[in-house]
Amino acid sequence: MSKPLRLREEMAQLPTYKAGKKAASVDGLTAFKLSSNENPMDPLPGIIEVITQAATQVHRYPDPLVTELTNALAARHNVKPEHVATGTGSVGVCQQIVQAVAGAGDEVIFAWRSFEAYPIITTIAGATSVQVPLNDDNGHDLTAMAAAITSATRLIFVCTPNNPTGTIVKQSEFDEFMKSVPQDILVVVDEAYVEFNRDEEALDGLASMRKYPNLGVLRTFSKAYGLAALRIGFFIGPEVIADAVRKTAVPFGVSNIAQSAAVASLELEAELLKRVDAIVETREWFEAQLREIGYDVPNSQANFVWLQLGVQTDDFVIQCTAQAVAVRPFSGEGVRITIGEREPLERVLEILKTFPR
Ligand SMILES: *Cc1c(COP(=O)(O)O)cnc(C)c1O
């Protein structure tokens, strides 16, 4: 008689990461994907050439220490390279951090809703998620998060701007929060969307890292920099954690193509900022339009907008699909719409104008 294969107990409760869907094709309409917070623009100038050049070396293993990029990031952010660690996307880095600091019986605190990867990687590490509901303004409830700290807490994620609501954590509230975090608990500020922030009161992760010895920052090349497919992100923070991130990494995980493209992208900051400005401008236009037709969306500082449609979420998504636009639904809660091209955003507005409420 055959017996089922044995898996770790945690696997039974492990959700599969739901990636943003592609847009369905509809006759006569160009399809658009607004479901994964990708940059809608082509790679930065010269990047395809850098990638093509790097491709000539793919028969060799990449530099396992990611030396050139690590040094470039250290110089750019004015820290020693010892404080910098890279990984296969910032999700990869995130997972390396959780594995390094939390295991069975340990707790990882984060806001909810926030980034869907947090509960998954916490479960994979064998640790326990402590999800603290967002406040009424769809922002982090730092008072409640501080109150959730126990002797089992090992790590706290603070996602700002928050995915999927776009809200930021203010520096002043964060400084207050840090007073109640014991120094042996790591706080990781996930700044995947920081380039899109225009709120001067927002928490500055890198400046705060210089103030708090138990604070680290996560950044990515996937969003503003437009290198999502190359899987490259990084951590800047305490040396022991950067060290641990290197130890828990998949060997040679960051490809030579990703390393070269990231180094070259860092030198194109002026061009990058222009593109980010254009996305921010579209975001402001889209938010203003939404408010004009009566949707009270939270003020987003990211490259997406959160539309809290509750039970109407699925109906709205069906209509978007019919218009060849993919958005990211959270059934029963709302929809996250990426600030992509104007054309699909205009289709979304048309749908909402007649959408029953
Ligand atoms: C997209 C995203 C990331 C980055 O993902 P990569 O693995 O770097 O592509 C990290 N954190 C949040 C909150 C995100 O939304």
Side-chain angles (χ1 to χ4, degrees):
M1 223 177 64
S2 73
K3 282 186 178 177
L5 289 167
R6 293 193 196 196
L7 297 176
R8 277 170 57 201
E9 250 173 56
E10 291 89 347
M11 292 303 112
Q13 17 146 336
L14 193 62
T16 305
Y17 183 84
K18 288 201 203 84
K21 288 207 183 94
K22 266 191 172 162
S25 69
V26 176
D27 270 355
L29 285 177
T30 308
F32 290 98
K33 186 176 174 215
L34 304 181
S35 55
S36 294
N37 299 341
E38 292 151 338
N39 193 324
M41 300 170 201
D42 290 338
L44 286 163
I47 294 299
I48 292 180
E49 290 73 11
V50 169
I51 289 173
T52 309
Q53 181 57 35
T56 64
Q57 295 307 309
V58 293
H59 56 297
R60 305 283 182 198
Y61 281 112
D63 171 8
L65 300 175
V66 195
T67 313
E68 198 187 347
L69 177 61
T70 302
N71 290 339
L73 288 168
R76 167 72 186 75
H77 296 295
N78 200 19
V79 294
K80 289 203 215 114
E82 289 80 3
H83 293 271
V84 181
T86 57
T88 50
S90 56
V91 173
V93 184
C94 219
Q95 181 156 7
Q96 287 158 245
I97 293 171
V98 177
Q99 278 172 339
V101 305
D106 298 333
E107 292 174 355
V108 178
I109 299 176
F110 47 85
W112 201 251
R113 236 178 218 290
S114 188
F115 190 31
E116 304 124 270
Y118 301 149
I120 298 175
I121 60 189
T122 300
T123 301
I124 293 174
T128 304
S129 289
V130 177
Q131 307 186 348
V132 179
L134 294 172
N135 61 28
D136 292 341
D137 297 324
N138 285 294
H140 279 52
D141 184 344
L142 291 179
T143 310
M145 287 176 77
I149 296 171
T150 70
S151 58
T153 307
R154 293 292 174 273
L155 173 62
I156 304 170
F157 282 115
V158 173
C159 185
T160 178
N162 186 48
N163 177 2
T165 55
T167 51
I168 50 107
V169 166
K170 284 188 186 163
Q171 184 72 53
S172 53
E173 33 171 15
F174 183 75
D175 287 332
E176 200 51 42
F177 166 73
M178 286 304 284
K179 287 183 194 159
S180 32
V181 180
Q183 288 216 342
D184 59 351
I185 297 178
L186 177 68
V187 175
V188 169
V189 179
D190 187 340
E191 292 191 326
Y193 301 99
V194 70
E195 292 88 351
F196 303 102
N197 173 53
R198 293 294 178 270
D199 186 335
E200 285 174 5
E201 284 185 71
L203 158 61
D204 179 335
L206 288 170
S208 303
M209 179 209 65
R210 296 174 210 276
K211 230 173 3 185
Y212 304 106
N214 56 332
L215 181 70
V217 176
L218 271 180
R219 295 271 187 102
T220 181
F221 284 95
S222 296
K223 307 286 161 54
Y225 280 93
L227 299 178
L230 292 184
R231 312 307 303 128
I232 173 120
F234 61 97
F235 170 84
I236 301 185
E239 215 174 312
V240 281
I241 304 296
D243 228 26
V245 167
R246 281 186 280 273
K247 287 181 186 165
T248 50
V250 172
F252 306 108
V254 180
S255 73
N256 71 319
I257 297 178
Q259 295 185 32
S260 309
V263 169
S265 296
L266 280 180
E267 286 159 18
L268 298 170
E269 202 159 5
E271 181 65 25
L272 173 90
L273 294 178
K274 256 195 279 174
R275 290 171 173 217
V276 167
D277 277 346
I279 292 170
V280 168
E281 204 177 296
T282 304
R283 175 185 78 204
E284 283 165 2
W285 161 80
F286 186 58
E287 280 190 340
Q289 294 289 310
L290 286 170
R291 291 188 181 124
E292 208 172 292
I293 55 179
Y295 286 91
D296 183 25
V297 287
N299 190 358
S300 171
Q301 294 298 333
N303 66 340
F304 53 82
V305 169
W306 175 241
L307 199 55
Q308 214 162 356
L309 293 175
V311 293
Q312 290 183 300
T313 298
D314 294 347
D315 285 345
F316 171 74
V317 173
I318 290 169
Q319 294 205 29
C320 289
T321 306
Q323 293 299 314
V325 179
V327 293
R328 177 68 169 85
F330 296 84
S331 201
E333 291 178 57
V335 184
R336 191 191 66 200
I337 304 167
T338 302
I339 301 301
E341 301 84 346
R342 291 225 178 191
E343 187 178 336
L345 293 171
E346 272 161 6
R347 285 184 208 164
V348 166
L349 290 170
E350 283 311 308
I351 293 168
L352 287 171
K353 279 179 194 164
T354 56
F355 198 65
R357 266 185 301 159

